[in-house]
């Protein structure tokens, strides 16, 4: 009777070392992406933790890992779990505002009417759909389109001294459009807008976010 071949933990890790991150050009084991691996008889379970849920090669990496592990002698079943943990920027100076935000993504343009808010909304919703924690800050006080595009209106709730972001499609949003009457124009100078944006960063309960998308005011002046 032929003895049963048993796969080992080291064989599992050696197989996974053949998977390279296309941007970092190192294997996923050396990069520390393999957070868990267990072998019970012929059953192999692996957790691969990426740096962003929006990784474009996530599905490809999962298929490659499953194929490599199934090819090992003695393996009967394979389970590969793909997770993600967005890391904050290394070496960045400490912030007093929006401390729970790991990354800011500013969407700007030299002029208005070019689809900046559309890009901001779609980017925020796409990132949220991947499982990331996302906020959307409307800094275009002269033409706040985010409430309309997200289908939201009315004053935000308040908890203590903090405003609670309005949420839709898994995205937390804040805009001056929630705080003004629709028929009242806004005529503010740069320093006033600067102060408002500071308040939106410091006085809004954003919580822990992987990304805060900032829909910037149009132009290249003092406000931007």
């Amino acid at each position: 009777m032929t003895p049963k071949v048993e796969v080992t933990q080291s064989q599992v890790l050696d197989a996974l070392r053949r998977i390279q991150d296309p941007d970092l050009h190192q294997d996923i084991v050396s990069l520390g992406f393999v957070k868990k691996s267990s072998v019970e008889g012929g059953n192999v379970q692996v957790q691969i933790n990426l740096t962003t849920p929006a990784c474009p090669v996530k599905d490809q990496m999962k298929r490659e890992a499953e194929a490599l592990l199934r090819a090992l002698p003695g393996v009967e079943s394979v389970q590969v779990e793909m997770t993600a943990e967005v890391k904050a920027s290394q070496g960045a100076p400490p912030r007093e505002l929006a401390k729970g935000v790991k990354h800011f993504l500013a969407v700007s343009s030299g002029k208005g009417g070019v689809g900046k808010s559309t890009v901001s909304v779609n980017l925020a919703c796409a990132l949220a759909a991947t499982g990331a924690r996302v906020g959307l800050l409307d800094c275009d006080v002269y033409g706040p389109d985010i409430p309309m595009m997200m289908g939201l209106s009315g004053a935000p709730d308040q908890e203590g001294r903090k405003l609670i972001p309005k949420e839709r499609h898994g995205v937390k949003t804040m805009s001056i459009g929630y705080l003004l009457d629709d028929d009242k124009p806004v005529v503010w100078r740069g320093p006033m807008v600067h102060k408002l944006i500071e308040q939106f960063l410091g006085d809004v309960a954003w919580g822990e976010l992987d990304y805060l998308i900032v829909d910037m005011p149009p132009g290249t002046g003092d406000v931007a």
Side-chain angles (χ1 to χ4, degrees), residues 105-170:
L105 299 178
V107 181
S108 63
S109 65
K111 63 185 293 291
V114 296
K116 176 171 50 60
S117 296
T118 301
V119 170
S120 299
V121 167
N122 281 280
L123 179 59
C125 291
L127 285 170
T130 68
R133 298 167 298 178
V134 183
L136 176 57
L137 176 56
D138 186 359
C139 288
D140 189 354
V141 299
Y142 304 114
D145 294 328
I146 297 303
M148 177 188 66
M149 298 181 75
M150 294 294 283
L152 296 167
S153 61
D157 294 330
Q158 192 166 342
E159 189 174 288
R161 300 182 61 182
K162 296 277 189 178
L163 294 175
I164 306 301
K166 287 181 171 292
E167 190 166 338
R168 179 65 60 85
H169 306 306

Side-chain angles (χ1 to χ4, degrees), residues 61-187:
M61 200 173 285
K62 181 178 181 180
R63 290 193 298 269
E64 192 173 351
E66 290 172 340
L68 288 168
L69 295 175
R70 288 196 181 102
L72 292 174
V75 171
E76 298 173 1
S77 68
V78 172
Q79 181 179 347
V80 177
E81 179 188 10
M82 304 298 292
T83 60
E85 181 183 356
V86 178
K87 307 223 179 262
S89 301
Q90 298 297 316
R95 281 186 269 110
E96 291 300 320
L97 300 175
K99 292 182 178 181
V101 178
K102 292 182 178 178
H103 297 281
F104 289 86
L105 299 178
V107 181
S108 63
S109 65
K111 63 185 293 291
V114 296
K116 176 171 50 60
S117 296
T118 301
V119 170
S120 299
V121 167
N122 281 280
L123 179 59
C125 291
L127 285 170
T130 68
R133 298 167 298 178
V134 183
L136 176 57
L137 176 56
D138 186 359
C139 288
D140 189 354
V141 299
Y142 304 114
D145 294 328
I146 297 303
M148 177 188 66
M149 298 181 75
M150 294 294 283
L152 296 167
S153 61
D157 294 330
Q158 192 166 342
E159 189 174 288
R161 300 182 61 182
K162 296 277 189 178
L163 294 175
I164 306 301
K166 287 181 171 292
E167 190 166 338
R168 179 65 60 85
H169 306 306
V171 177
K172 295 180 178 181
T173 72
M174 184 52 63
S175 170
I176 189 64
Y178 299 142
L179 306 173
L180 297 175
D181 294 333
D182 293 337
D183 57 351
K184 287 187 177 179
V186 178
V187 183

Side-chain angles (χ1 to χ4, degrees), residues 185-203:
V186 178
V187 183
W188 286 352
R189 292 173 300 179
M192 298 169 67
V193 179
H194 180 268
K195 184 63 177 176
L196 175 71
I197 294 173
E198 274 192 348
Q199 290 180 318
F200 275 167
L201 291 173
D203 297 337

Side-chain angles (χ1 to χ4, degrees), residues 21 24 28-29 31-36 46-53 55 58 61 80-87 102:
D21 183 283
L24 301 175
I28 63 173
V29 176
L31 288 170
F33 290 176
V34 180
K35 293 299 182 183
K36 297 178 184 176
V46 171
Q47 182 187 80
I48 300 175
N49 189 64
L50 303 177
T51 55
T52 172
C55 177
K58 177 176 66 176
M61 200 173 285
V80 177
E81 179 188 10
M82 304 298 292
T83 60
E85 181 183 356
V86 178
K87 307 223 179 262
K102 292 182 178 178

Side-chain angles (χ1 to χ4, degrees), residues 15-33:
L16 295 176
R17 283 191 176 91
R18 296 172 61 183
I19 304 175
Q20 294 269 321
D21 183 283
D23 296 318
L24 301 175
H25 305 293
Q26 294 185 56
D27 69 87
I28 63 173
V29 176
S30 299
L31 288 170
F33 290 176

